[in-house]
């Protein structure tokens, strides 16, 4: 039985809009929420009492979102089917005292967030985005999406050894963007952002700001078979998970889904969990290593009249697909990859395996994802690291260990991971989304 929902290149077009609208994790969850609202989901507050009802709901907390759809006939012990992802990407973030400069150049003081390819931030026109916290306790999303800043690379005439010894960037000295001329104190950054957003001077008392490339995502290649853009790691998965959840909820609501004909004991509750702070270890109130997902799932069980026993039964039957980017084989560095595992662009989603639990996948998890791909008519590839290379990790093992939930690490193979502009196959985003639909349908 194949899935009724089929995404195509229109999904990749929409991913490009999603990326452009989401220069920070706060914007990413707002973009996801906007799409879920259109699909009939409604926000619930963590501070309210939750009542049991069917339909789509979501919780926003900072740069994280958890959304779920309770179908007709769901019992308190009905298990969940979760797509996990992360909303954050490596970048440059604004320090508490941002206004700096030297020799007539006005600059912004930045910290390094996560592990970016530092060179990729040089000589790009950058905007600034994030969240301003106001004196009255409210938060405002801001996005100055025009050429505002730049980290200029040193001219080769002043750095003749760059080709023989490599580019050496000091994280403190060499990455402070310039944003104009003048003395650092004049027209300070926060004052500038207040002006830009019509906020009274002095009302901003806190901020979480970061810079982003203003270059738009684009198709690339002889036949436009590739796509280049920022934050593919991991907004590609957040976007695919959002689209898949909205589609599954839509087909359930319209009755097109087989769900209505399913017996209650075969039902599952589809969930999207997109966390912040994966790039620095996930340990935060909005990270995968925090209580957010467990709290939301538990409260959903209790809101349907469930007991701790029901919670244990629901969690024991739950499966999570942790979706994140992986490495496509790089034609110029093929020796860095395992010689027999060469994920290719547009070859379909990848199953990520590491026997030392850097990824949570095991054989039975592989079977779950293989079944979803088969149902969706989507090819499946496998990724494993070259034994001589350290293996990356993601939210999968954390989710499995923290909640005792069976978890499978999957994703899309890209090039230039952690660059300010990454590259993937233009078909892979919708192939992933089709597989996620099949998985969420249970
Ligand atoms: Zn990632």
């Amino acid at each position: 039985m194949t899935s009724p929902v089929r995404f195509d290149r229109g999904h990749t077009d929409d991913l490009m809009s999603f990326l452009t609208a989401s220069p920070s994790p706060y914007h990413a969850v707002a973009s996801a929420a906007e799409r879920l609202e259109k699909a009939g989901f409604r926000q619930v507050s963590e501070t309210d009492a939750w009542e049991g009802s069917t339909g789509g709901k979501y919780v926003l907390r900072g740069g994280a979102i958890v959304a779920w759809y309770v179908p007709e006939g769901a019992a308190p012990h009905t298990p969940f089917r979760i797509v996990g992802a992360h909303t954050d990407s490596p970048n440059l973030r604004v320090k508490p005292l941002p206004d700096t400069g030297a020799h007539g150049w006005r600059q912004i003081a930045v910290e390094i967030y996560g592990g970016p390819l530092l060179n990729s931030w040089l000589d790009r026109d950058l905007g600034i985005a994030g969240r301003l916290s106001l004196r009255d306790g409210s938060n405002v999303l801001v996005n100055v999406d025009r050429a505002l800043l730049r980290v200029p690379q040193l001219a080769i005439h002043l750095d003749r050894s760059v080709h023989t010894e490599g580019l050496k960037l000091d994280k403190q000295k060499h990455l402070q963007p310039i944003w104009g001329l003048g003395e650092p104190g004049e027209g300070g950054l926060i004052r500038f952002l207040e002006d830009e957003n019509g906020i009274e001077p002095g009302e901003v008392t806190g901020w979480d700001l970061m810079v982003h490339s203003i270059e738009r995502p684009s198709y690339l290649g002889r036949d436009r078979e590739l796509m280049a853009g920022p934050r593919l790691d991991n907004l590609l998965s957040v976007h695919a998970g959002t689209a898949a959840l909205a589609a599954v909820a839509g087909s359930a609501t319209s009755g097109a889904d087989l769900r209505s004909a399913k017996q209650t004991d075969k039902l599952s509750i589809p969930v999207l969990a997109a966390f912040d702070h994966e790039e620095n270890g996930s340990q935060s109130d909005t990270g995968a290593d925090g209580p957010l997902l467990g709290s939301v799932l538990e409260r959903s069980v209790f809101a349907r009249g469930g007991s701790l026993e029901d919670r244990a039964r629901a969690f024991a039957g739950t499966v999570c697909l942790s979706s994140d980017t992986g490495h496509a084989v790089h034609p110029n560095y093929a020796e860095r990859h395992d010689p027999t595992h060469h994920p290719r662009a547009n070859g379909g989603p990848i199953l990520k395996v590491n026997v030392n639990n850097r990824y949570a996948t095991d054989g039975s998890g592989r079977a779950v994802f293989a079944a979803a791909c088969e149902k969706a008519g989507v090819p499946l590839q496998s990724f494993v690291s070259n034994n001589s290379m350290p293996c990356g990790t993601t939210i999968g093992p954390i989710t499995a260990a923290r909640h005792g939930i069976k978890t499978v690490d999957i994703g899309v193979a890209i090039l230039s991971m952690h660059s300010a502009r990454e590259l993937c196959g233009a078909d892979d985003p919708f192939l992933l989304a089709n597989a996620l639909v099949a998985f969420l349908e249970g």
Side-chain angles (χ1 to χ4, degrees), residues 86 88 233-234 278-279 324-325 393-394 417-418:
H86 68 89
D88 59 320
D233 177 7
N234 185 21
E278 188 272 347
E279 299 292 355
D324 201 350
T325 50
T393 190
T394 177
M417 188 186 290
H418 288 197

Side-chain angles (χ1 to χ4, degrees), residues 40-42 53-57 68-72 249 253:
F41 284 66
R42 294 294 171 257
S53 63
T54 55
K57 300 185 178 69
W68 66 104
Y69 180 82
V70 180
E72 292 286 344
T253 306

Side-chain angles (χ1 to χ4, degrees), residues 8 33 38 65 70 79 104 233 241 249 297 311 322 324 343 348 363 396 429 439:
D8 53 21
K38 279 188 190 144
I65 183 168
V70 180
D233 177 7
L297 299 186
R311 179 239 186 248
S322 156
D324 201 350
F439 166 74

Side-chain angles (χ1 to χ4, degrees), residues 109-192:
V110 292
E111 277 187 283
I112 313 298
Y113 179 81
L117 282 169
L118 295 175
N119 61 297
S120 72
W121 288 89
L122 303 178
D123 294 340
R124 282 184 193 275
D125 296 347
L126 305 171
I128 196 162
R131 183 176 68 171
L132 299 178
S133 299
L134 308 189
R135 195 175 292 282
D136 64 6
S138 61
N139 293 305
V140 180
L141 295 188
V142 293
N143 181 11
V144 183
D145 198 23
R146 61 180 165 84
L148 187 68
L149 313 100
R150 188 174 169 113
V151 186
Q153 186 170 356
L154 186 62
I156 192 160
H157 316 77
L158 305 179
D159 190 12
R160 292 281 183 198
S161 65
V162 67
H163 293 313
T164 52
E165 293 175 23
L167 176 66
K168 293 186 179 137
L169 293 171
D170 182 301
K171 289 179 180 174
Q172 176 62 33
K173 287 170 64 180
H174 297 151
L175 290 157
Q176 311 301 319
I178 59 168
W179 75 305
L181 300 172
E183 295 305 313
E186 302 165 11
L189 178 68
I190 301 306
R191 180 68 201 279
F192 166 80

Side-chain angles (χ1 to χ4, degrees), residues 61-340:
R61 189 195 284 194
I65 183 168
V66 181
W68 66 104
Y69 180 82
V70 180
E72 292 286 344
H77 64 269
T78 297
F80 301 94
R81 287 223 154 197
I82 305 168
V83 170
H86 68 89
T87 60
D88 59 320
S89 303
N91 58 14
L92 309 178
R93 300 203 173 183
V94 174
K95 284 185 170 178
L97 299 174
D99 300 300
T100 183
H103 305 288
W105 295 97
R106 194 181 287 166
Q107 291 173 284
I108 300 298
V110 292
E111 277 187 283
I112 313 298
Y113 179 81
L117 282 169
L118 295 175
N119 61 297
S120 72
W121 288 89
L122 303 178
D123 294 340
R124 282 184 193 275
D125 296 347
L126 305 171
I128 196 162
R131 183 176 68 171
L132 299 178
S133 299
L134 308 189
R135 195 175 292 282
D136 64 6
S138 61
N139 293 305
V140 180
L141 295 188
V142 293
N143 181 11
V144 183
D145 198 23
R146 61 180 165 84
L148 187 68
L149 313 100
R150 188 174 169 113
V151 186
Q153 186 170 356
L154 186 62
I156 192 160
H157 316 77
L158 305 179
D159 190 12
R160 292 281 183 198
S161 65
V162 67
H163 293 313
T164 52
E165 293 175 23
L167 176 66
K168 293 186 179 137
L169 293 171
D170 182 301
K171 289 179 180 174
Q172 176 62 33
K173 287 170 64 180
H174 297 151
L175 290 157
Q176 311 301 319
I178 59 168
W179 75 305
L181 300 172
E183 295 305 313
E186 302 165 11
L189 178 68
I190 301 306
R191 180 68 201 279
F192 166 80
L193 291 173
E194 287 172 339
D195 282 353
E196 284 271 315
N197 292 281
I199 299 168
E200 287 293 311
E203 285 304 300
V204 173
T205 51
W207 54 87
D208 301 280
L209 296 166
M210 57 205 75
V211 305
H212 64 274
S213 168
I214 62 162
E215 190 181 3
R216 294 295 182 251
S218 64
Y219 288 108
L220 185 148
R222 196 195 71 165
D223 298 317
R224 295 163 61 84
E225 65 269 55
L226 303 171
M227 191 207 119
R231 301 176 292 283
L232 297 179
D233 177 7
N234 185 21
L235 295 188
L236 188 159
S237 298
V238 175
H239 175 257
T242 304
L245 178 60
V248 169
S251 56
T253 306
S254 69
D257 183 31
L258 295 171
R259 188 180 306 285
S260 53
K262 275 187 179 172
Q263 294 170 352
T264 300
D265 64 354
K266 294 277 199 291
L267 281 178
S268 54
I269 296 174
V271 179
L272 168 72
F275 302 100
D276 202 350
H277 301 135
E278 188 272 347
E279 299 292 355
N280 56 18
S282 297
Q283 288 190 315
S284 76
D285 68 325
T286 51
D289 208 5
L292 180 62
L293 176 62
S295 164
V296 168
L297 299 186
E298 260 175 21
R299 292 184 66 179
S300 151
V301 170
F302 298 151
R304 278 174 280 124
S307 61
L308 279 175
E309 173 75 357
D310 291 312
R311 179 239 186 248
R313 291 177 68 190
F315 276 48
T318 291
V319 186
C320 174
L321 283 189
S322 156
S323 182
D324 201 350
T325 50
H327 303 297
V329 62
H330 194 306
N332 300 345
Y333 301 87
E335 75 285 357
R336 307 285 173 104
H337 301 261
D338 181 82
T340 57

